[in-house]
């Protein structure tokens, strides 16, 4: 069984955190300096480069894990990781990996971390909550962790998140807010805030998160990294804590498109433990991402998606459209109704899941989460029925668009990352609550399970993301378009502050 740092009830300065097992042999600062001198892979290196350095013997998985642990210990934000694996345990796994067929391991020795709604053997799956701290340690890893490790990756810890994934800000009342790696006074976005912060801050090259209404795409946008929300049912959700089963997706964050594709390919495959998981065979994307996009029909989402945006979102979409040669504008039918229906389904399914907890321990919830769940419990059944019927109609209509286009471009968020604690912003002259409206452009897409790559556009003073949306099961097309943008320098994950 893996060993982990005991979960913290409240955030503490990193220097005061008690680590499980043996401490680093040297202080974080000394080890970081030593690693730079001895030729260990550099901070922020790509997954492919890390794996190749391990295969060639230029460095070892052990050294990379040591560097990763040192960098996490030296990091100034105590609310990124909520639990860290015992370093000696992780290094032992990395050392043992040398006996395996390393040429067959695409993620050989690559460190990664997961949002704490993934079951991790030996760790309670808190899902950002106080209540779940009473759960016993998980007896087995989530399927996607097992698949990442089978591909050679090494798990180093579990990451902060919004309570029960019902969050767009990355602010957690129990563990403290995730902070943006480019400006620590700003939000990471949520609910996969720790995942966005860890990858955006170059603490790990890959993190896993979840996306129900935008929780991969929003942190990707705010933290300036690449994120993939795959087709609904593409990646197994087995042994992860749910939010809205009919909308939940799991997927990776990375600092490059190639890294995103490597992680995604490693996690593909049917899984009988998730009833929604596809029975389709493996459909690798890594061999395809470098293909040109000249044969793709690319359009810009108009109407709804060109409203409720700040100038930075308009600029980001304009840059992407120009780089991809997109001039056609398409109307996504009834997108505003789709967002409203997504709200109805999310709040009612979420309320049903948590009803017993709401009755027994209402005061242990984040009040904002609790109140939305209580409201969901009171939504009349006929409204839920209408939302589900509309969902079927909307899916049919949107899929008709993909008969004439291959890619649709849309904003990922209406603005750059708001300030921590910011309650409202003004969209199209109307003052609106931040928390509820950050996902205004993501919800109509995940509502029908379309695959999306969020690409970071490095504007000043902060990055912002754009959605590259494809038809179901065509993650390869979205990744191809994202790769073209990356090669052109239009999309890039900027270095975090201080690196």
């Amino acid at each position: 069984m893996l060993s982990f740092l005991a979960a913290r009830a409240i955030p503490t300065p990193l220097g005061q955190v008690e680590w499980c097992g043996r401490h680093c042999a040297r202080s974080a600062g000394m080890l970081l300096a030593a690693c730079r001198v001895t030729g260990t892979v550099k901070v922020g290196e790509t997954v492919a480069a890390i794996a190749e350095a391990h295969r060639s013997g230029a460095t070892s998985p052990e050294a990379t894990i040591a560097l990763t642990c040192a960098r996490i210990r030296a990091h100034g934000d105590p609310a990124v990781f909520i639990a860290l694996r015992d370093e000696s345990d992780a290094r032992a796994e990395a050392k043992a990996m040398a006996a395996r067929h390393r040429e067959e391991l695409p993620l050989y020795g690559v460190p990664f971390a997961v949002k704490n709604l993934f079951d991790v053997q030996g760790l309670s799956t808190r899902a950002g909550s106080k209540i779940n701290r009473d759960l016993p340690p998980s007896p087995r890893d989530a399927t996607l962790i097992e698949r990442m490790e089978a591909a050679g990756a090494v798990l180093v810890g579990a990451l902060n998140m919004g309570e029960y994934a019902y969050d767009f800000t990355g602010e957690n009342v129990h563990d403290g807010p995730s902070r943006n790696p480019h400006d620590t006074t700003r939000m990471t976005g949520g609910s996969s805030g720790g995942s966005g912060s860890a990858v955006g801050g170059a603490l790990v090259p890959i993190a896993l998160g979840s996306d129900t209404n935008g929780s991969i795409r929003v942190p990707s946008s705010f933290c300036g990294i690449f994120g993939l929300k795959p087709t609904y049912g593409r990646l197994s959700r087995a042994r992860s804590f749910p939010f809205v089963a009919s909308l939940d997706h799991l997927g990776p964050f990375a600092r490059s498109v190639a890294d995103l594709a490597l992680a995604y390919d490693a996690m593909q495959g049917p899984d009988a433990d998730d009833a929604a998981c596809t029975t389709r065979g493996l459909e690798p994307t890594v061999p395809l991402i470098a293909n040109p996009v000249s044969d793709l029909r690319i359009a810009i989402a108009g109407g709804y998606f060109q409203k409720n945006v700040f100038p930075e979102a308009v600029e980001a979409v304009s840059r992407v459209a120009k780089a991809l040669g997109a001039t056609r504008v398409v109307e996504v039918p009834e997108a505003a109704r789709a967002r409203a229906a997504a709200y109805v389904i999310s709040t009612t399914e979420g309320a049903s899941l948590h009803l017993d907890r709401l009755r027994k321990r209402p005061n242990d919830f984040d009040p904002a989460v609790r109140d939305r769940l209580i409201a969901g419990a009171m939504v009349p059944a006929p409204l839920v029925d209408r939302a589900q019927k509309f969902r079927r109609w909307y899916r049919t209509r949107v899929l008709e668009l993909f008969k004439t286009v291959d890619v649709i471009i849309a904003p990922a968020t209406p603005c750059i990352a708001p300030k921590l604690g910011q309650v409202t912003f003004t969209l199209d002259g109307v003052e609106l609550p931040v928390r509820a409206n950050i996902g205004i452009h993501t919800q109509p897409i995940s509502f029908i399970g379309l695959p999306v790559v969020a690409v970071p556009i490095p504007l000043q003073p902060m990055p912002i993301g754009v959605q590259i949306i494809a038809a179901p099961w065509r993650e390869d097309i979205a990744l191809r378009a994202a790769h073209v943008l990356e090669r052109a320098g239009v999309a890039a994950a900027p270095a975090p502050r201080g690196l």
Side-chain angles (χ1 to χ4, degrees), residues 116-472:
N116 186 227
L117 55 65
F118 288 78
D119 283 2
V120 176
Q121 184 187 32
L123 183 68
S124 296
T125 306
R126 287 161 39 176
S129 71
K130 178 180 179 180
I131 295 170
N132 279 28
R133 293 164 203 244
D134 295 342
L135 294 176
S138 299
R140 180 181 172 185
D141 289 333
T143 292
L144 296 193
I145 294 177
E146 293 178 345
R147 290 179 177 177
M148 289 286 288
E149 291 181 333
V154 179
L155 180 67
V156 295
L159 297 157
N160 197 2
M161 60 175 285
E163 185 177 74
Y164 289 128
Y166 205 171
D167 166 63
F168 273 137
T169 67
E171 296 172 313
N172 184 297
V173 300
H174 311 296
D175 295 304
S178 300
R179 294 180 182 272
N180 196 295
H182 305 290
D183 179 348
T184 55
T185 69
R186 294 181 183 270
M187 300 173 181
T188 56
S191 62
S192 307
S195 302
S197 186
V199 175
L203 300 180
V204 289
I206 298 174
L208 304 186
S210 68
D211 189 311
T212 303
N213 287 297
S215 292
I216 288 174
R217 291 160 290 162
V218 168
S220 295
S221 178
F222 287 172
C223 295
I225 55 178
F226 295 88
L228 171 61
K229 185 205 78 63
T231 307
Y232 181 80
R234 171 69 89 174
L235 297 183
S236 172
R237 303 168 303 176
R239 294 178 296 283
S240 65
F241 198 90
F243 171 28
V244 180
S246 68
L247 294 173
D248 288 344
H249 309 66
L250 304 181
F253 296 83
R255 297 185 60 82
S256 75
V257 177
D259 290 357
L260 206 62
L262 282 165
Y264 167 66
D265 282 2
M267 295 186 288
Q268 285 190 51
D271 185 3
D273 290 339
D274 179 2
C277 191
T278 182
T279 57
R280 297 169 72 100
L282 302 182
E283 296 176 317
T285 61
V286 171
L288 304 176
I289 61 172
N291 290 349
V293 296
S294 54
D295 62 326
L296 297 183
R297 301 162 297 175
I298 303 174
I300 306 160
Y304 174 89
F305 292 94
Q306 295 184 354
K307 301 174 183 176
N308 295 308
V309 286
F310 283 67
E312 56 263 34
V314 176
E315 174 64 18
V317 170
S318 176
R319 291 189 186 188
V320 168
K322 182 178 180 180
L324 294 177
T327 58
R328 181 183 172 190
V329 177
V330 296
E331 187 83 22
V332 178
E334 298 285 4
R337 286 184 65 194
R339 180 178 180 238
Y343 260 119
V344 170
I345 292 170
S346 295
T347 192
T348 53
E349 280 196 35
S352 176
L353 176 68
H354 293 288
L355 198 56
D356 286 345
R357 281 178 280 270
L358 287 167
R359 288 169 172 160
K360 295 175 182 177
R361 300 181 62 175
N363 293 330
D364 289 334
F365 280 85
D366 175 342
V369 173
R370 179 194 62 213
D371 292 350
R372 280 176 288 161
L373 291 172
I374 290 173
M378 295 187 290
V379 173
L383 287 182
V384 182
D385 180 59
R386 289 178 65 184
Q388 293 287 13
K389 287 178 178 177
F390 170 77
R391 187 182 188 183
R392 292 189 288 272
W393 176 90
Y394 177 69
R395 175 180 171 82
T396 299
R397 290 291 305 277
V398 173
L399 293 186
E400 288 176 2
L401 285 178
F402 285 103
K403 295 177 180 179
T404 60
V405 300
D406 299 301
V407 170
I408 298 175
I409 303 164
T413 54
C415 59
I416 61 172
K419 293 288 187 177
L420 287 169
Q422 184 175 334
V423 176
T424 64
F425 56 11
T426 301
L427 288 177
D428 284 358
V430 180
E431 188 174 14
L432 296 169
V434 166
R435 184 187 290 263
N437 288 283
I438 290 173
I440 194 168
H441 300 300
T442 54
Q443 288 177 281
I445 307 305
S446 44
F447 182 54
I448 52 172
L450 299 177
V452 186
V453 174
V455 298
I457 310 304
L459 304 183
Q460 293 297 328
M462 294 287 291
I464 188 170
V466 172
Q467 297 184 89
I468 308 298
I469 306 160

